[in-house]
Amino acid sequence: MSELNPEVWVDEYGDYLFRYAYSRLRDSNAAEEVVQETFLAGVRYSEQFAGRGSEQGWLIGILKRKIIDYVRLRNKHNKAAPYEDEHDPSAQLFDEMGNWKPGAINWSPEPGQKIEMAELKDVVQDCLKTLPQGQADVFVLSVMEEMDSDDICRELGISPSNMWVRMHRARLGLAKCVGSKWHVDDEVKQNV
Amino acid sequence: MSDQRIAELISKSLRHEISPDESVILENLGEEDVESQKFAELSKLIQQSVQGDVAMNSPERETKKGLTKDAIARLKKSVSNAVREKLSLSDAGLIDSSISATPNTLDLPKTETSVEENTRQLMSRFQLIRRLGQGGLGNVWLARDEKLKRNVAIKELRPEALESPKAWQRFHREAEITGQLEHPNVVPLYQFGTNSKTGEPFYAMRFVGKRSLADAIVEFHDQVEAGQSCHLGLHRLLSVFLDICQAIAYAHSRGVVHRDLKPENVALDNFGQVIVLDWGLAKVMEDSELSMKMSNEFRMGDSTLLTQTMEGDVVGTPLYMAPEQAMGDLDKIDHKTDVYGLGAILFSILTGKAPHELSVSGVKKEIKEILKIIANAEAPSLRDFAKCAPAELEEICSRAMARKRHLRFESVQELADAVETWMAGQSSKKSEYDAMRMEGRELRAEMQSYVGNLERNARFAAGLPPIEQLMQVTTDEDLTVWRERLASIFRGMLQANPDYQNIVYSKVDGDKFSELVRVERHGGDSSSLRVVPKSRLRSDVTSEYMNSLIEQKPEEVLTSLVCDPMCQRDKNCKDTVGLLSGVPVYDSRTEDVFGVVMINCDVDKLLRRQMTRRTTADELVVACDIFHIMMHTKSGQISDETLSKRVADQAPHFLPAVEHLQTESEFIDTTNSDIYGARLWFIPNQHGIMYLLKR
């Protein structure tokens, strides 16, 4: 049982929550906004926090909800462009017969190669920014937030097939992007 | 299977959502499927790198990509404001706060997951359906209570009001006051709570429909303007008004003054239920029972609250506002302010307009300017709106809305009693008026039937065989025989109809006439009849009436009120008016008019007989076309002084009815139920007789 002290929240958890939000939203203004809303909501219903579990965990719980709300709103406002029009990496990766173009994916780890996951994560984060927002959001909610497909469809107001198309395109796009970036980085490393 | 399809299976497999068959396909990818394997491995790695955000807390990364200094400052300020707001609410006793107070033991969500669960639970209890409207403080939604399977209305604070602690206070206060007032005409509150997702307050109350008194008033006045009978409509609105009075009188008994009475704040359902809403501005009187129960904060800060509402709700509220409210004279705001507000609602019922609508119309001013006008303007009058309302109601309305508070009704109950008394009187008055209306109609119907008989007799007389024989006689002997025969029939008709003065058969030649047969009643002794001897038969220039008569087609009767049937317009006629019915007689050989048959009836005698019947009317006037009085009774006594004089001079109160009866056959006094008029037409839109009755 503990008494909450919101005045120290910004110093204690600000960066942590911000990074969490930024990794999901890929936009620092948006991340700051949801962090602010999280703190305010935390103050408003502070009486619901009874001290079981960490303050940080409790705030993250609120933040997760705020992120989903934000993504939902953003998705709603960007509804003008139907997903079919969104960038489809298939054309760059497959030929007319639907077969891989040679060298479509530039890199994959060698057997036994040690991969620094944190570094890979940074590359993935950078690549996420290059994806159309609709695809990136589905990927974030599905993989990073580990949400159920049904929940994602409901929150974003999209159909399951729409969600799967977005998800697959996101994976293709990420594989292509990460492959080329990691490869280049690798070469750079070797050159250095 | 194409590579593209395999790639799709790889994507699905990463979420473990492929069938065993599809899984076999992926396991058996050959060496030639290099790209597919690369895609599978890379995608798996990518997923692992960010799944569940494993690297979030690694210390070396914490230094990266944090908040900027500016962002930190902004966040701190925002959190600190929120904390202050929360503490002020907590101090006011409005909410429990775990920030500075004792640890919370509520059985509410404790961890991040339970926050979400709770959100869903709370949200799933009430499913918002659509927004119903917007009040000064918040938005009202129609919602479905999933637990009790019923529709409810949910009021929540408007988003722009969320930031203001004052608005939170007022919102809680409104809920608390409403909850304390248990009365059939005050909206019942079901639940007060906070939305755990957003932390915003809301309360659930009975859903009473979207129709307000304002809508009913507009409908009523539309009907009045369309000329529909409005008595019932007014009666219904006044019944609603009495219900509102009951709710307010009850609130006053609990020490609560509503202070924001207007038709929009009264909801009506289709089953006659009247509900007073929006107690957001209500004031709790300091020495009242309720005051003891409520938190200190709620009894204070009135001026701020009032100004806030006025500023936030510029359009509606001030138009019904009492002068002391507009002046901001808060000490003077008490139950008499509500008496004014109720008077303003009554005003709106009677005129269809808000009382201050005229005084502030056309001015686009700041709220302060509008309030200044209302505070200083003369008391609005029904006459300013060119509306005629029952005089007693007008008086009640002015008294309720008197600028000087001591001139107003002492209590809401007193105001309600005044209206109720008027309504009760109105219904007995209404039944009296209905009785009088029936009498007026009966008088007219009696005259109509009398005239019908007269016309039938005229037609009958004109069709008698001696009439035609007299056209053809060649010898004096024949003439005498046929005259006697006709005279004896005429005599019989006069005997049978005591009001008939005479029956005449005249020959018309050019503009001259000469009587052939005339049987008349003796001037002095009405029971004595005489056949006018040949030497005394008249011949002269045809009268105006005769000229009209010979214009008629065969067997067409012309009935009219005429001074003297033989008299020319330019000659001095007698004052006495006769009711005359005549028929032209055509010569079958020449097919031209030969003469006329006329029956003259003593209308004065007829009317006097009608007047002797008992009547509920205090005054009764019978007038002819040129609005001259033919008969005038007051309190059952016939007044001869006004005979042949103009209605406008002798009984001007009948003038609106007389005007109306120029084109219509009936006048009904919908405003005061005092006067009734009925008109009988002899010749459409030309000649006739009207009965005017006054209670």
Side-chain angles (χ1 to χ4, degrees), chain B residues 401-513:
Chain B
M401 292 176 68
R403 274 187 68 80
K404 293 179 179 168
R405 297 165 67 258
H406 64 267
L407 292 179
R408 293 180 202 158
F409 289 96
E410 271 308 311
S411 67
V412 171
Q413 196 56 53
E414 200 182 315
L415 164 62
D417 288 347
V419 173
E420 203 163 16
T421 309
W422 181 84
M423 284 171 77
Q426 198 59 18
S427 65
S428 74
K429 193 175 170 184
K430 174 102 179 30
S431 62
E432 279 174 28
Y433 183 71
D434 287 344
M436 188 178 82
R437 231 169 66 180
M438 292 309 294
E439 285 165 8
R441 281 184 181 162
E442 271 170 31
L443 288 172
R444 180 178 63 179
E446 196 176 66
M447 179 58 84
Q448 197 162 18
S449 122
Y450 191 85
V451 169
N453 264 328
L454 179 65
E455 291 179 340
R456 265 192 299 281
N457 281 337
R459 204 178 287 119
F460 167 77
L464 290 167
I467 297 283
E468 183 149 5
Q469 291 300 328
L470 280 169
M471 289 182 217
Q472 297 164 10
V473 288
T474 47
T475 63
D476 280 354
E477 198 179 332
D478 281 351
L479 180 67
T480 311
V481 169
W482 288 114
R483 278 193 65 232
E484 279 174 5
R485 287 194 183 174
L486 187 61
S488 82
I489 300 173
F490 281 1
R491 176 192 280 271
M493 288 172 74
L494 281 175
Q495 272 170 346
N497 297 282
D499 301 320
Y500 291 2
Q501 280 301 98
N502 54 59
I503 306 182
V504 183
Y505 177 32
S506 302
K507 182 184 176 186
V508 177
D509 194 1
D511 62 349
K512 299 272 175 48
F513 76 91

Side-chain angles (χ1 to χ4, degrees), chain B residues 265-459:
Chain B
N265 280 346
V266 178
L268 307 177
D269 72 7
N270 294 328
F271 304 99
Q273 179 90 45
V274 179
I275 300 282
V276 179
L277 306 167
D278 218 336
W279 296 78
L281 249 195
K283 176 179 178 176
V284 181
M285 303 311 279
E286 279 173 25
D287 50 356
S288 70
E289 175 199 351
L290 191 56
S291 154
M292 307 304 161
K293 293 186 180 173
M294 294 181 73
S295 2
N296 276 337
E297 189 69 23
F298 286 175
R299 301 200 299 269
M300 289 152 43
D302 262 346
S303 62
T304 337
L305 292 175
L306 189 62
T307 325
Q308 268 182 356
T309 294
M310 291 186 311
E311 282 171 357
D313 198 7
V314 177
V315 190
T317 316
L319 294 179
Y320 294 86
M321 197 176 267
E324 66 265 27
Q325 244 174 319
M327 272 184 259
D329 206 345
L330 296 165
D331 292 342
K332 288 189 180 161
I333 290 175
D334 59 11
H335 65 283
K336 285 207 174 182
T337 310
D338 278 352
V339 170
Y340 186 99
L342 287 166
I345 289 181
L346 182 59
F347 188 98
S348 176
I349 289 175
L350 297 174
T351 62
K353 309 280 180 199
H356 302 307
E357 210 165 306
L358 272 191
S359 39
V360 300
S361 72
V363 282
K364 268 192 175 175
K365 288 183 178 163
E366 295 289 314
I367 180 73
K368 279 180 187 165
E369 288 293 310
I370 290 176
L371 293 178
K372 205 169 163 186
I373 291 172
I374 293 170
N376 299 310
E378 283 297 308
S381 153
L382 263 68
R383 293 178 196 282
D384 299 340
F385 290 81
K387 294 275 180 181
C388 62
E392 297 93 329
L393 279 185
E394 199 175 329
E395 206 172 291
I396 292 173
C397 197
S398 325
R399 196 175 151 201
M401 292 176 68
R403 274 187 68 80
K404 293 179 179 168
R405 297 165 67 258
H406 64 267
L407 292 179
R408 293 180 202 158
F409 289 96
E410 271 308 311
S411 67
V412 171
Q413 196 56 53
E414 200 182 315
L415 164 62
D417 288 347
V419 173
E420 203 163 16
T421 309
W422 181 84
M423 284 171 77
Q426 198 59 18
S427 65
S428 74
K429 193 175 170 184
K430 174 102 179 30
S431 62
E432 279 174 28
Y433 183 71
D434 287 344
M436 188 178 82
R437 231 169 66 180
M438 292 309 294
E439 285 165 8
R441 281 184 181 162
E442 271 170 31
L443 288 172
R444 180 178 63 179
E446 196 176 66
M447 179 58 84
Q448 197 162 18
S449 122
Y450 191 85
V451 169
N453 264 328
L454 179 65
E455 291 179 340
R456 265 192 299 281
N457 281 337
R459 204 178 287 119

Side-chain angles (χ1 to χ4, degrees), chain A residues 3-4 6-7 10-11 14-16 18-20 23-24 32 35-36 39-40 43-50 52 57-58 61 66 69 72 90 94 97-105 107-109 117-118 120-122 124 139 142-144 146-147 149 164 168 171-172 174-175 178-179, chain B residues 2-4 7-8 11-12 14-15 17 35-36 38-39 41-43 45-53 55-57 61-62 64-67 71-72 74-76 78-80 82-83 86 96 98-101 103-104 108-112 115-116 118 120 163 168 196-200:
Chain A
E3 203 173 89
L4 292 180
E7 304 280 5
V10 178
D11 288 333
D15 283 340
Y16 171 73
F18 176 80
R19 274 197 306 279
Y20 189 99
S23 68
R24 268 70 178 165
E32 187 186 326
V35 168
Q36 182 180 24
F39 285 150
L40 295 183
V43 173
R44 265 185 209 150
Y45 45 81
S46 53
E47 62 273 18
Q48 293 175 354
F49 177 72
R52 281 181 240 162
W58 181 66
K66 296 286 175 195
D69 286 346
R72 184 183 54 225
S90 304
F94 300 98
M97 302 297 291
N99 293 320
W100 289 105
K101 287 182 180 173
I105 305 293
W107 171 89
S108 73
M117 288 306 245
L120 180 58
K121 192 199 150 204
D122 283 348
V124 173
F139 182 85
S142 170
V143 176
M144 298 174 78
E146 297 179 307
M147 276 170 72
S149 309
W164 276 109
H168 179 55
R171 289 197 196 277
L172 287 174
L174 281 176
V178 171
Chain B
S2 72
D3 290 346
Q4 202 161 353
E8 283 170 21
S11 280
K12 282 175 82 178
L14 289 164
R15 290 280 291 190
E17 292 184 18
E35 298 294 337
S36 292
K38 275 158 70 176
F39 174 63
E41 281 174 23
L42 188 49
S43 289
L45 261 180
I46 288 170
Q47 178 154 317
Q48 282 170 356
S49 75
V50 292
Q51 197 159 31
D53 210 14
M56 273 302 296
N57 284 324
R61 310 207 69 76
E62 287 209 352
K64 279 190 179 179
K65 287 184 191 167
L67 285 159
I72 289 173
R74 279 195 295 272
L75 283 174
K76 281 188 170 171
S78 154
V79 170
S80 148
V83 169
K86 176 104 177 187
D96 289 326
S98 57
I99 292 176
S100 60
N104 194 302
L108 278 170
K110 282 62 179 195
T111 64
E112 58 200 62
V115 167
E116 287 192 38
N118 182 61
R120 292 193 181 110
E163 302 303 321
W168 282 59
S196 67
K197 183 180 153 195
T198 58
E200 292 155 8

Side-chain angles (χ1 to χ4, degrees), chain B residues 3-23:
Chain B
D3 290 346
Q4 202 161 353
R5 173 80 184 115
I6 290 171
E8 283 170 21
L9 288 183
I10 293 168
S11 280
K12 282 175 82 178
S13 74
L14 289 164
R15 290 280 291 190
H16 312 291
E17 292 184 18
I18 57 171
S19 66
D21 290 349
E22 289 170 331
S23 189

Side-chain angles (χ1 to χ4, degrees), chain B residues 611-631:
Chain B
M611 295 309 113
T612 54
R613 297 193 323 183
R614 280 185 68 84
T615 167
T616 51
D618 184 52
E619 186 178 4
L620 200 157
V621 165
V622 186
C624 60
D625 330 311
I626 40 174
F627 316 133
H628 282 178
I629 295 174
M630 297 165 68
M631 184 62 58

Side-chain angles (χ1 to χ4, degrees), chain A residues 130-151:
Chain A
T130 67
L131 296 185
Q133 208 144 50
Q135 294 175 16
D137 284 341
V138 169
F139 182 85
V140 165
L141 296 183
S142 170
V143 176
M144 298 174 78
E145 289 298 304
E146 297 179 307
M147 276 170 72
D148 283 347
S149 309
D150 289 349
D151 290 342

